[in-house]
């Protein structure tokens, strides 16, 4: 039977949603049970860093070898466990990005983040884990050092520890994202092509992108781009672009005095009436009603 690990086990029912656990031969005394070799899933995200040794990781029924330097992300509801472990040392950073209110829209501007945290978990079984991030010795040492800072902040709980822990978590995420962006793996490169499209849309959402433009940027056919993009984000590239535009428009409606027509043009729409129809469909209120409610 698959064990479901609820966030309350690690964070408490109202606890701060960041925790660090060490497993395998790196495990220290802990109030948490060791589920490393028991098939389980969880309601939070888990960033796994293999510090030493080697073993096998079974994810969604498929097994992959892991060794020191491997880094991968386990999203919510992904069933997994380790076995055949030989001196494996793991450090797991457990966190809930929604409860933390992390500025994920800013992180998605980094192609490495899109590839490592959004795309690779969904494509792992197709690439047989060859698209994972693998850190060299000095990179691994730096990552472990940042994890130690997160762990210390959560353990010592001095004044301001929550913002300190979030700051170090974001530092770790950005560092690993940059490492992934410089990876020379062929499969990583294929994910980075899609990640570059996501970053392009996040950064240049006001431009008149077409599916042909984006497919050319990704060096993929239109059909393949749509399939891979939808698997990663739940939307087609154009749907994703519109989502960004409408969110940016909502921000402008709340924070500026620009007219609705001006805002439509600022976020990339050439027809303010079309913008208003899409905004009402997505937000369930008109742009004007949204602005009034935000006052």
């Amino acid at each position: 039977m698959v064990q479901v690990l609820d966030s309350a086990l690690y964070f408490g029912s109202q606890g701060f949603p960041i925790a660090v656990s060490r497993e395998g031969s790196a495990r220290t005394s802990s109030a948490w049970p060791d589920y490393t070799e028991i098939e389980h899933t969880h309601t939070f995200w888990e960033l796994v860093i293999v510090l030493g040794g080697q073993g096998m990781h079974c994810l969604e029924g498929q097994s992959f070898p892991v060794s020191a330097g491997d880094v991968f992300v386990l999203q919510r509801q992904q069933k997994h466990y380790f076995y055949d472990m030989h001196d494996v040392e793991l450090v797991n950073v457990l966190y809930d990005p929604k409860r933390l209110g992390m500025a994920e829209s800013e992180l998605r501007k980094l192609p490495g983040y899109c590839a490592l945290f959004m795309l690779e978990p969904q494509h792992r079984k197709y690439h047989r884990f060859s698209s994972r991030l693998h850190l060299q010795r000095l990179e691994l040492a730096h990552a472990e050092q940042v994890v130690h800072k997160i762990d210390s902040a959560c353990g010592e709980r001095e004044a301001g520890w929550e913002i300190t822990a979030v700051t170090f978590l974001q530092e770790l995420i950005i560092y690993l994202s940059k490492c992934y962006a410089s990876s020379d793996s062929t499969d990583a490169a294929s994910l980075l092509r899609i990640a570059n499209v996501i970053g392009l849309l996040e950064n240049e959402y006001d431009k008149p992108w077409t599916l042909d433009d984006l497919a050319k940027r990704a060096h993929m056919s239109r059909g393949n781009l749509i399939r891979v993009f939808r698997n990663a984000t739940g939307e087609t590239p154009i749907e994703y672009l519109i989502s960004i535009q409408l969110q940016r428009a909502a921000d402008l409606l709340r924070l500026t005095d620009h007219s609705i027509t001006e805002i439509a043009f600022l976020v990339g729409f050439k027809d303010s009436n079309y913008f208003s129809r899409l905004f009402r469909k997505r937000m369930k209120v008109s742009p004007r009603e949204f602005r009034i409610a935000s006052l």
Side-chain angles (χ1 to χ4, degrees), residues 66-84:
V66 296
S67 59
D70 286 343
V71 178
F72 50 96
V73 178
L74 296 165
Q75 298 173 335
R76 294 180 179 88
Q77 311 306 328
Q78 291 190 313
K79 295 182 292 186
H80 71 107
Y81 65 97
F82 291 85
Y83 68 96
D84 197 19

Side-chain angles (χ1 to χ4, degrees), residues 120 123-124 127 129-133 180 185 187-188 191:
E120 200 279 332
H123 291 78
R124 193 170 294 151
H127 291 161
F129 204 46
S130 61
S131 55
R132 72 194 183 286
L133 172 62
Y180 197 90
S185 161
D187 287 322
L191 294 185

